[in-house]
Amino acid sequence: RSGSEGDFKAMNSESKDFEKIMQRLTEITSTLESGELTLEQALALFKEGTELARVGDSLLTEYGELAESYRSELTALQS
């Protein structure tokens, strides 16, 4: 089905985005844990991390909804 195929391609692209987000969050965490930042630098990284976490959470919600949609389609096809 072309709609599902388009969804898969979009999800694959978003998956790469999610991986980049997780990599950056790991970097931010390590940097914050180092304790070598000024307060301003730490706050800036914390703000960036919070935004990245929000975007990552949104992507995970989309993945979950897409997986549920596929599961429903599969169940309907098996009936």
Side-chain angles (χ1 to χ4, degrees):
R1 299 175 59 189
S2 62
S4 295
E5 184 178 317
D7 290 343
F8 179 76
K9 287 180 181 176
M11 189 174 91
N12 190 31
S13 173
E14 289 174 349
S15 176
K16 291 177 183 171
D17 292 340
F18 183 78
E19 291 171 16
K20 288 178 185 176
I21 288 170
M22 291 304 297
Q23 180 180 2
R24 181 61 182 145
L25 283 171
T26 300
E27 292 169 0
I28 288 171
T29 301
S30 294
T31 303
L32 288 171
E33 288 177 345
S34 75
E36 298 176 3
L37 301 173
T38 66
L39 179 58
E40 290 84 12
Q41 291 170 325
L43 287 173
L45 278 180
F46 181 79
K47 181 178 178 181
E48 180 185 352
T50 301
E51 179 63 20
L52 287 171
R54 185 191 63 75
V55 172
D57 184 60
S58 177
L59 286 173
L60 285 176
T61 298
E62 288 179 35
Y63 296 157
E65 291 170 356
L66 188 57
E68 185 59 38
S69 172
Y70 288 152
R71 188 174 329 172
S72 295
E73 286 181 26
L74 181 60
T75 300
L77 289 173
Q78 291 175 341
S79 299

